[in-house]
Amino acid sequence: MSTTTRFPNELITKYGLAGPRYTSYPTALQFHESFDDEAYRRNINSSNNDLIPRPLSLYVHLPFCQQLCYYCACNKKVTRNTQLAEEYLYRLDKEIEMQGDLFDNDRQVIQLHFGGGTPTYYDDAQLKHIVDQLSRNFLFSRSSSREFSIEIDPRTVDEERIANLGDIGFNRVSMGIQDFDPAVQKAVNRIQDEAATLRLIDAARQSGFNSVSVDLIYGLPLQTPQSFERTIDSVLSVRPDRLSVYNYAHLPHLFRAQRMIKQDDVPKPEVRLRLLDSTIRKLVEAGYVYIGMDHFALPDDELALAREDGTLQRNFQGYSTCRQTDLVGMGVSAIGKVGNSFVQNLKDIRAWESSLDDNKLPVWRGLQLNREDCIRREVISAIMCQGQVLFEKFEEKFDIDFCDHFALELESLKPLEIDGLVEIQEQRIDVTATGLLLLRAIGMKFDEYLIKDMHGKSYSKVI
Amino acid sequence: MMSSDSQQKPYLADRQQVACSQCVLSNLCLPRNLDESDTEQFEHLVNKSHPIQPGEHIFRAGDKFQSISAVRAGCFKSYIIDKNGEEQVLGFYLPGEIIGFDAIHEQTHKANVVALDTSSVCGLSFDSVSEMARQLPLLQEELFRVMSLQISELAANAADLSADERIARLLYSLSSRFASRGYSSKEFNLSMSRRDIASNLRLATETVSRVLARFQSAGIISVNRKKVAILDLDKLRELARRDAPSLSGE
């Protein structure tokens, strides 16, 4: 993507409405409790019976953190009581065993991700234990192209731990930074040493990690475009393979931790625009490819290559290169995707543990996709991942007349076309460079549930 | 005769109007070579079924033999339970194919037959069909032909073929059968699971997937969940025939 000569402020303001991130479609808002563990099992059975069952992607949620970051909207538990964390592990062992039993044992795990909370809250021995338990109950791919990644809080690891994590089997890492500016760090209660963090990124490279990703957040309290630019410059000095630059969504009524952040300190919309503008400009100038949504990658990184050749996917962790897998979510609140269904674990740690103690799968809710869901999911995915929708592909695959089927949606895209976000032709829709900044707004036009219900959901602002 | 059939087989409706001449399978099913008036006569023997749900059985091993069933729609598998209590799949039946011949000689069904899809069948009292066949040589010919087809398929399955050959044979056979039913020979949806296929071909479930994945890498087929697209039919035919007894009929 070439930088637009002028950042489209008005457009971003105009389309900066509430919008889902579409890490799934339908979104988790559509999950419901009548999708139970029986439904989950049925979907697993069906997927096991495919002619060539899909390989697996495993997600493990480790919710514990030592300290509270005020911006956090994740499912987490802040505690110094390591006993709690250990008890969580006993149940996790059990869940891994139970879930492993359900999937045919010739289905290879080609992707693994530890998220949280802070996965590195646990020490290396504990993390190794979890990986071992997973490898006992699932078939790990032995290919070097497998993606085993872990989220790291740099404050909890040193060079030695990084090396150990590599030994355990991880070959990808994402480091939480958010912002190096001391005032911002203080305002969000995340004091993190800049030099130490940069050293760790280097160490990760030395230890053979294939792809080092860094998480930043713009829109944090007390951020200014100048201060954030400094953070970016600093991060660029170690040239991470990927950057995720998330937008801070100030929703204190939804997320308790955020009540510690003063509304007045949160950058106003115009400032956020400038933050976003300068971030994109800097990264693109430094040679990064804008993948879409919140992701940037070096041009020879797999994400960038996948975007080039049209194989880019999107999942709950964001963009991914992994070919079609079924996702097994383990741990509290974890989300899985099997066949045409989603499933989510219980959100409360005690309830999750209790369920496993009763030998029951800790399923909270989920969703069985119908045909319409499947079609729209692919349209939204095409928008998010390929920046184009080729009608013929959908007509062939789903036996529909695209223009007929989506007559209303295409009509609703016309204003976006006038504003230069998309180009609509007879047989295709293309996302423009401007539209790339506003993918959500485009995707929303095909979201059947949003269309049906235009009022009152609290999504974060798009920008 | 009809009503006792309906009693034993609740999925068979009481004497519904059946029009074999208008049936989409008319060029495949038993009365295909009969003239108009003979076909009309034949129609009187046929009971059309209600929709049969996946998992519903139409025959169980040990059932007294009364009728054969022609598949109208959907797909069935026949299986026995072996001495270890394991399911052994004997074969699959597509629309136009006849189920139940195995029951003739002992007047008892030997195999269980279950629907894999929402399906329907036409039930025919075998006594009535044989009686009519005695008078209509073309019908008798057709009966023998169909029985012979099934027997030679089984014989072929007994041959010592490699996993690749067995799977290629099955795919090729299904492809031909779908083609003759007016579906594409190149792309079709399979109702049977990889387990069913493995059981039928006496292979391990993992082997079936491994071979299919290999065929896919080699560009011979393309697989998506239960859908198969045949990209190189010639290659598939070649794999299916090598050292094997000739494929029957197709």
Side-chain angles (χ1 to χ4, degrees), chain A residues 414-427:
Chain A
K414 293 247 171 76
L416 277 70
E417 188 179 31
I418 293 172
D419 280 335
L421 269 63
V422 291
E423 272 160 24
I424 308 175
Q425 281 162 62
E426 229 179 84
Q427 284 299 305

Side-chain angles (χ1 to χ4, degrees), chain A residues 48-51 53 104 106, chain B residues 194-195 206 209 225-226 228:
Chain A
N48 282 337
N49 278 324
D50 281 349
L51 295 173
D104 277 351
D106 63 332
Chain B
R194 64 175 186 148
R195 270 171 183 69
E206 303 85 66
S209 298
R225 312 217 55 203
K226 292 253 192 74
V228 177

Side-chain angles (χ1 to χ4, degrees), chain A residues 46-54 104 106-107 339-340 397, chain B residues 190 192-195 197 206 209 212-213 216 223 225-226 228:
Chain A
S46 175
S47 77
N48 282 337
N49 278 324
D50 281 349
L51 295 173
I52 304 176
R54 287 189 189 151
D104 277 351
D106 63 332
R107 300 179 69 174
N340 289 328
K397 179 160 183 184
Chain B
L190 294 186
M192 60 288 291
S193 70
R194 64 175 186 148
R195 270 171 183 69
I197 293 175
E206 303 85 66
S209 298
L212 288 173
Q216 185 166 237
V223 173
R225 312 217 55 203
K226 292 253 192 74
V228 177

Side-chain angles (χ1 to χ4, degrees), chain A residues 438-456:
Chain A
L438 291 160
L439 284 175
R440 273 196 269 178
I442 304 170
M444 278 162 68
K445 294 304 184 192
F446 289 91
D447 183 335
E448 191 175 22
Y449 300 93
L450 268 190
I451 293 169
K452 277 194 227 167
D453 178 89
M454 299 292 277
H455 311 288

Side-chain angles (χ1 to χ4, degrees), chain A residues 65-79:
Chain A
C65 295
Q66 275 182 348
Q67 251 195 334
L68 178 64
C69 300
Y70 295 160
Y71 55 74
C72 186
C74 297
N75 182 289
K76 63 178 172 303
K77 179 147 189 71
V78 179
T79 179

